[in-house]
Amino acid sequence: MEDLDLDQIATLLSELSQPSVLPKVDGRHHVRAFDAADVDFCTSNWLYRVLDVMPWLNLDASFDSQELPKAVAFRLFDELSPGKSEASFQINDTYVVITALGAQTLEDRLSRAVGHRSVFLQMLEDELSIAAATEAWIEAWNEAPATEPLSINATVDKWRIQDFAGRARSMQLDLNPTYQRDFVWSNADSQTLIESILRGIPLPSIILARGSGNQRYQIVDGKQRLTAILRFMGAHPEGLQNAKAMVDFNIFDTNFAQFARRNNLRATDIREKYLPFKTKKYADENDPLTSLGGRYYCEIRDKSVRIAGENITVADLFERTCDYFIPVLIYRDTQVRDIHKVFRIYNQQGTKLNAEEIRNAVFNHLVISRMMLFVSGDRPEPEIAPELVSAGIDPTSTHEIIDALGFRVNRFRRTKVLLWTVATLILKPTQAPDGVYRTPSTASHIDEFLRAIEDGTLRQFRSRSTLENLARDLVGALALHQSSEAAWHPKFRRKGKSEMASKWEELPVVGSLIACLVLTITGQEQRLEEGIDAVRELTSKMLGPQSTQNKTQWAHIASSATRILEELGIGLEDAHSAVLERYGESAIEALANIRKLSTN
C-alpha cells in the first residue's frame, strides 16, 4: 500500500484528536491530541490512535486498550465492514497491519466523522446546547444522503465530461469565483463520486452562471463535484499548472504514481495542489469495478465499463463522445446578488455551509470582504484584492503567521478571526435601556458590522484609503503578534492546556490581536517588544472561559485586550481616541465597560 493512502488516515485521525467539546455519548471528557506524524502504521500504534478518537466515530461496540490488538481490530472492522473484518487487517508478528481494504474502510469512517465533528462544533458556536448538538450529531450519522433541491427556472442543458474538461482547459470555466468556499471534499467523497460515474449513475445538476456576450461560465453549485472529476482525470487547470512546475512532468499523464514519488508528494500535497487521486478499492471479486479499484486514471484509461447499455473504455467516458451526460442549469444575465442568494439555497445539501461560508456569499460584493479573504490567506490570489496589490500590500508573511497560530485554510476560519477582531474593535454592541452593553454572538456581531458598511452607517469602510490602512494595520499587528510570541503564555493560548502551546484558540487570538492592532495604530509597537516578560506574566493568569456563552466570551476578549494595553502603559482613553481618529468609530470604551461589569 502506498504511503499516500495511510497519510490521509493519519491526517484525519489527528484532526479528530484536537481539543474540543465532545458529544454527550461517551464517558470521556476529552481526547488526547496528537499530530499526524505520531501515527505509526508499522506497529499497532495506528489502532490505538483510532481508540483515542473513538468518541467521534459513533460505534456501537466498546473497546478496551488493554485488549490484544487482534481482538480490537477484529471487532472494529466487523462493525465498520460487517463480514469483511478478516480482509481488513493482517497479523505481522505481534502487530496488526492494516490492509488496503481496511484502509479504505477506515478512511471512509474517519472522513464522515470529521465532517460531523465540524457541524457539531459549529452548532455549539451558534449557541445550541451540548444536548441539542449531540442529538443532531447522532441524527447526522443516521440520516439518508442529501437530495437535490427542486427544479428552478433556468436554461436546461446537458454536457459530457469532455465538455467540462475542455472548457476548463481553455479557461472558459471559472472554477473558483470569490463567493465560493474552498475545495472541502475528502478523498473518500471524491472517490464515491467517481464510482458513481464509472457505474453510469446520473449525477446531480451542475449550476452555472453566464453573462450576456460572455463565453466564460461561473460555477454557482457543483464546484466540489466538478473539482473532483477534473482532479481525477488530471485535467484541473490549477493542478496542471502546479504539476508543470515539478520534475518529470512528462510522466504526469502516463504514470502519476511514479510522478508523485519523484516529487515526494504526500496526500495533503496532492489534495491542496488539485492533483489526481486513486479510485476506491473493492473487496467483492464479482463487482464489475474490482479491476479498476485502487488505481489512478492513467492506469485504467483503456479498461472497459458499461455505460448506457454499452461497453466503452474509461477514456471514452471521460475524454470522448459518449452517452453519459451531466445535467447543467445555466443562469443567464443574472445579478450577482441573486446568484449569491441561490448559492445559499443550493448548498443546503451535503456538508452544510457554516456561518463564515454564508457570510462570504452574502457580503462578497463588499470590498472589505474580499480584502479580508486576501489578507487572511483564505483566498490569496492577487485578483481577489487588486486594490491592495496595486497599493503594494503583500500579506504573504501574514499567511505564514496565521498558519503558525494553528489556523489552516479551512472553511474561511482565518477570515472569521480577522473580521471578528476588527468588528470587536470598531463596532460598539447595542446597549440595553439601563445602558449595559449587550453581548451578541460572534456571527451576528460580524454580520452587523458588514451590514453597517453595506447600509452606509460605516461608509468609511468603503473608502479605498481606509481599507488600505486597515490592511496595513492588520499585517503589522500580526507581525507584532508573532515577533513577540514569548509574550503569550501557553495557558493563555488554549484554556490553560500548556501541552498545546503551539496551537491557539480563537478567543485569545482575538483578544491579543486587538491589543496588537491598537499598538500598531498608535505607532507604539516597541512597548510590547520591551514588555514581553510583563505581558507573559499577565497572560499566565488569563485562563480562557469554560463556558461558551456570549457574555463570558465578550468578557474574556475585553479583559484580555484592555489589560494588555494597560500593562504596557497605554491608556484606554488614548487608545479609544487613536482608533476613533483613524477609523471614525471605536468600541474600546464599550470593551472597558464590559470588562468592568464582568469583574463586579
Side-chain angles (χ1 to χ4, degrees):
M1 189 191 318
E2 291 191 28
D3 290 342
L4 295 176
D5 302 309
L6 302 180
D7 185 46
Q8 177 68 9
I9 292 174
T11 300
L12 294 170
L13 285 169
S14 174
E15 185 168 350
L16 289 172
S17 79
Q18 298 310 304
S20 68
V21 178
L22 294 173
K24 290 289 187 180
V25 295
D26 190 275
R28 281 182 287 174
H29 299 289
H30 69 278
V31 171
R32 185 169 63 88
F34 54 84
D35 293 328
D38 296 329
V39 184
D40 180 10
F41 291 92
C42 295
T43 68
S44 298
N45 165 277
W46 66 271
L47 184 58
Y48 292 104
R49 294 302 188 187
V50 174
L51 297 188
D52 285 340
V53 302
M54 194 61 68
W56 290 112
L57 301 186
N58 192 39
L59 298 176
D60 293 330
S62 59
F63 300 88
D64 187 343
S65 60
Q66 302 302 314
E67 291 183 83
L68 291 175
K70 180 179 179 180
V72 173
F74 184 84
R75 282 190 291 111
L76 171 66
F77 286 108
D78 188 56
E79 182 166 350
L80 295 181
S81 185
K84 300 176 183 176
S85 181
E86 293 183 350
S88 300
F89 67 92
Q90 298 173 347
I91 301 298
N92 183 2
D93 294 329
T94 59
Y95 299 135
V96 175
V97 178
I98 195 168
T99 65
L101 176 63
Q104 179 75 60
T105 302
L106 182 58
E107 184 180 334
D108 287 347
R109 190 72 176 194
L110 295 174
S111 293
R112 291 185 65 194
V114 167
H116 294 331
R117 175 182 181 273
S118 176
V119 174
F120 173 81
L121 297 178
Q122 183 63 49
M123 286 189 288
L124 295 183
E125 188 171 321
D126 292 340
E127 302 178 68
L128 264 70
S129 67
I130 293 180
T134 297
E135 183 177 352
W137 177 80
I138 293 173
E139 290 177 357
W141 277 108
N142 297 327
E143 69 182 12
T147 57
E148 280 292 298
L150 298 176
S151 299
I152 58 172
N153 184 18
T155 302
V156 180
D157 202 350
K158 58 181 183 179
W159 291 1
R160 296 182 175 90
I161 295 176
Q162 69 163 0
D163 297 324
F164 288 101
R167 287 180 169 88
R169 287 193 181 97
S170 61
M171 306 306 291
Q172 290 183 1
L173 270 182
D174 184 355
L175 297 167
N176 216 13
T178 59
Y179 54 83
Q180 277 279 14
R181 61 180 175 179
D182 199 3
F183 179 63
V184 298
W185 269 17
S186 66
N187 275 355
D189 293 327
S190 300
Q191 289 172 330
T192 298
L193 178 80
I194 298 304
E195 178 184 21
S196 296
I197 295 173
L198 294 173
R199 295 189 188 281
I201 298 173
L203 296 188
S205 300
I206 300 291
I207 302 173
L208 306 172
R210 178 180 172 185
S212 179
N214 190 343
Q215 297 299 312
R216 189 169 169 82
Y217 295 85
Q218 279 190 354
I219 294 183
V220 177
D221 185 74
K223 172 182 175 176
Q224 307 299 318
R225 282 168 270 158
L226 191 51
T227 300
I229 292 170
L230 296 175
R231 276 190 62 204
F232 174 68
M233 58 189 299
H236 194 285
E238 190 170 337
L240 285 170
Q241 183 178 358
N242 289 330
K244 289 177 181 177
M246 301 177 191
V247 299
D248 294 332
F249 177 70
N250 59 301
I251 63 172
F252 174 80
D253 286 327
T254 57
N255 193 340
F256 182 77
Q258 187 174 1
F259 176 84
R261 287 193 294 271
R262 291 185 180 180
N263 286 279
N264 298 315
L265 296 176
R266 309 298 295 171
T268 50
D269 299 323
I270 286 177
R271 184 178 178 280
E272 292 174 0
K273 295 182 182 299
Y274 299 96
L275 300 176
F277 54 90
K278 294 189 290 189
T279 56
K280 68 185 299 184
K281 301 174 180 68
Y282 303 91
D284 186 357
E285 294 181 357
N286 296 320
D287 191 311
L289 297 184
T290 298
S291 63
L292 280 62
R295 304 174 71 179
Y296 291 107
Y297 176 75
C298 60
E299 299 172 325
I300 62 172
R301 291 182 71 256
D302 297 327
K303 296 289 185 180
S304 177
V305 291
R306 191 163 182 80
I307 304 294
E310 295 183 24
N311 289 325
I312 62 174
T313 67
V314 174
D316 288 332
L317 174 60
F318 282 87
E319 300 178 51
R320 304 177 188 128
T321 299
C322 70
D323 289 332
Y324 185 86
F325 296 91
I326 299 176
V328 182
L329 299 177
I330 303 175
Y331 287 96
R332 298 182 186 276
D333 300 322
T334 305
Q335 294 293 323
V336 173
R337 288 195 184 187
D338 292 335
I339 294 174
H340 291 164
K341 294 175 183 177
V342 174
F343 178 75
R344 294 180 66 176
I345 295 172
Y346 284 118
N347 276 277
Q348 301 305 310
Q349 55 181 320
T351 301
K352 300 294 189 295
L353 287 179
N354 64 17
E356 288 67 55
E357 291 165 329
I358 293 174
R359 179 183 305 118
N360 185 52
V362 173
F363 294 106
N364 192 264
H365 61 286
L366 297 178
V367 176
I368 191 172
S369 294
R370 300 194 296 277
M371 183 202 86
M372 288 295 190
L373 289 170
F374 181 62
V375 173
S376 71
D378 277 335
R379 292 294 303 273
E381 308 93 310
E383 57 269 23
I384 294 296
E387 305 89 349
L388 300 187
V389 174
S390 63
I393 298 173
D394 180 6
T396 303
S397 60
T398 301
H399 304 163
E400 297 172 356
I401 292 170
I402 297 176
D403 189 72
L405 292 172
F407 299 108
R408 304 297 299 274
V409 176
N410 182 25
R411 307 191 75 182
F412 301 123
R413 189 182 178 200
R414 293 175 166 197
T415 300
K416 171 196 171 183
V417 169
L418 295 191
L419 276 172
W420 189 355
T421 299
V422 174
T424 304
L425 177 66
I426 299 297
L427 182 66
K428 293 181 292 185
T430 59
Q431 292 175 282
D434 61 0
V436 175
Y437 284 99
R438 304 184 191 278
T439 51
S441 69
T442 301
S444 62
H445 192 64
I446 296 174
D447 287 350
E448 185 60 32
F449 173 66
L450 294 173
R451 276 193 293 270
I453 298 172
E454 183 178 49
D455 66 21
T457 305
L458 291 175
R459 63 175 56 87
Q460 64 268 37
F461 286 92
R462 297 180 186 174
S463 161
R464 179 167 178 167
S465 60
T466 299
L467 293 178
E468 288 178 5
N469 287 339
L470 180 59
R472 289 192 176 92
D473 288 344
L474 283 170
V475 170
L478 281 160
L480 176 62
H481 195 281
Q482 175 67 13
S483 65
S484 304
E485 182 181 10
W488 320 119
H489 195 279
K491 292 182 179 179
F492 172 65
R493 301 179 186 186
R494 291 195 68 87
K495 295 183 180 178
K497 296 182 176 67
S498 59
E499 70 274 15
M500 292 299 296
S502 62
K503 304 290 181 69
W504 285 72
E505 290 183 345
E506 292 176 346
L507 281 179
V509 168
V510 173
S512 54
L513 191 54
I514 286 174
C516 288
L517 195 52
V518 171
L519 291 169
T520 301
I521 290 170
T522 58
Q524 300 184 78
E525 295 93 335
Q526 79 284 351
R527 293 209 179 199
L528 178 57
E529 296 165 354
E530 295 168 356
I532 283 179
D533 292 340
V535 173
R536 186 177 181 85
E537 175 64 23
L538 177 66
T539 56
S540 71
K541 303 170 185 175
M542 292 181 176
L543 304 185
Q546 296 302 314
S547 170
T548 58
Q549 291 181 324
N550 297 329
K551 183 177 181 180
T552 58
Q553 294 198 28
W554 272 91
H556 184 66
I557 290 174
S559 178
S560 299
T562 56
R563 290 176 65 191
I564 290 169
L565 289 172
E566 289 176 338
E567 182 66 34
L568 296 173
I570 305 294
L572 298 185
E573 290 185 4
D574 293 338
H576 176 79
S577 298
V579 175
L580 188 65
E581 180 179 357
R582 189 160 181 81
Y583 291 113
E585 289 290 343
S586 169
I588 290 182
E589 287 184 350
L591 293 177
N593 183 267
I594 292 171
R595 168 191 162 187
K596 180 180 179 181
L597 291 176
S598 68
T599 57
N600 290 342

